[in-house]
Amino acid sequence: MYGSIVTALTEFFSRQVPYVDTLTWGALLGSIGILLFSYALRKYIVEGLLHIMGKAASKTATEVDDLLLEVIRFPLRVTVVYFGILAAISILPMERYPRGEETIFILFRLGAVIILSWTAIRAIKVVSYLLRQITSRSDTLIDDKLVPFVEQILRILFIVTGVVMSMQELGYNPSGLLAGLGLGCLAVALAAKDSLSNIFGSIMIPLDPTVVVTSTVVDERCRRDTLASLSH
């Protein structure tokens, strides 16, 4: 009895779907099953875990865990949906598309790069929070200058890294882009060297432990004066 049931199911799953020559019922139902599983995974398991983690984070005194949870919340949802769709497509027959499997593999890797870069950019708010906690312990206002500066540097770094890695996954050589960015940064630096020098100087002076209030300073015209404050 069981043998006849297994035989019948095997014949059914191997039967072709009407009007679609290369698609079998097994592949179609398997693809639909993966989509339903990814939806259930996101709707119940992922959301349930996020809810439990959120309740646990709300009971702690620090805000770091709340920020980390907010960072991963939306990317985690997108990850489950995106890779679920790709997994559902990957089990479908690709006879009519010679590069279909290669394209799916590229999309897997490209999606991973984009999601990781996106998550890293979202995580900058955690770094900013920690920096503000550290700089708020001093009497200076350096956090008003330093923290936004670090935020912009990290954002540019993560975006450029994500673009370069995405280009590599798509088969493009990013060396031309990197060379162009290098020349552009050099031109901007040369054009604004005085402004950049003042900005870096205003950041580094309060960080130098040898520089204190009442220190003697000399400007570019060799004029001497006494430092009255380290705040901006």
Side-chain angles (χ1 to χ4, degrees):
M1 176 180 178
Y2 294 105
S4 60
I5 294 177
V6 171
T7 302
L9 289 176
T10 303
E11 292 179 356
F12 172 76
F13 288 139
S14 60
R15 191 178 304 168
Q16 292 182 346
V17 177
Y19 308 108
V20 184
D21 297 336
T22 60
L23 182 62
T24 63
W25 282 107
L28 178 60
L29 294 177
S31 179
I32 295 174
I34 292 176
L35 289 176
L36 293 176
F37 174 76
S38 63
Y39 173 78
L41 182 64
R42 176 202 174 278
K43 182 68 175 179
Y44 300 105
I45 299 179
V46 173
E47 293 296 334
L49 288 175
L50 290 174
H51 179 69
I52 294 173
M53 294 169 62
K55 291 181 66 176
S58 63
K59 297 179 181 179
T60 60
T62 179
E63 295 184 13
V64 176
D65 47 4
D66 299 276
L67 292 174
L68 287 173
L69 186 61
E70 187 63 28
V71 166
I72 66 172
R73 186 185 301 275
F74 195 57
L76 187 59
R77 295 170 178 168
V78 174
T79 299
V80 174
V81 174
Y82 178 77
F83 287 106
I85 293 174
L86 287 183
I89 296 175
S90 65
I91 68 171
L92 297 176
M94 299 286 180
E95 287 81 0
R96 294 185 178 180
Y97 307 97
R99 300 190 60 184
E101 294 183 359
E102 181 183 355
T103 302
I104 294 296
F105 182 69
I106 291 174
L107 289 176
F108 265 102
R109 298 177 55 134
L110 182 62
V113 169
I114 293 175
I115 291 174
L116 288 175
S117 301
W118 177 33
T119 306
I121 293 173
R122 290 173 60 88
I124 294 176
K125 64 177 67 176
V126 181
V127 178
S128 301
Y129 173 80
L130 294 175
L131 286 177
R132 293 185 189 279
Q133 291 295 311
I134 295 173
T135 56
S136 62
R137 300 172 186 173
S138 62
D139 296 332
T140 66
L141 299 177
I142 189 173
D143 53 318
D144 296 335
K145 301 289 185 179
L146 180 61
V147 175
F149 178 75
V150 174
E151 288 178 356
Q152 294 300 323
I153 292 297
L154 290 177
R155 185 170 288 106
I156 293 173
L157 176 63
F158 291 148
I159 291 175
V160 171
T161 302
V163 171
V164 170
M165 295 180 66
S166 298
M167 291 179 63
Q168 289 178 334
E169 294 299 331
L170 293 174
Y172 296 101
N173 188 355
S175 58
L177 174 63
L178 295 176
L181 288 175
L183 292 176
C185 291
L186 179 61
V188 172
L190 291 176
K193 60 180 180 179
D194 293 336
S195 299
L196 291 175
S197 177
N198 293 333
I199 292 174
F200 281 106
S202 64
I203 293 175
M204 295 307 299
I205 287 177
L207 295 178
D208 190 346
T210 63
V211 178
V212 295
V213 177
T214 72
S215 295
T216 301
V217 294
V218 182
D219 62 12
E220 67 276 5
R221 297 182 181 179
C222 297
R223 295 179 299 186
R224 304 172 66 87
D225 204 348
T226 301
L227 189 63
S229 174
L230 289 177
S231 60
H232 296 300

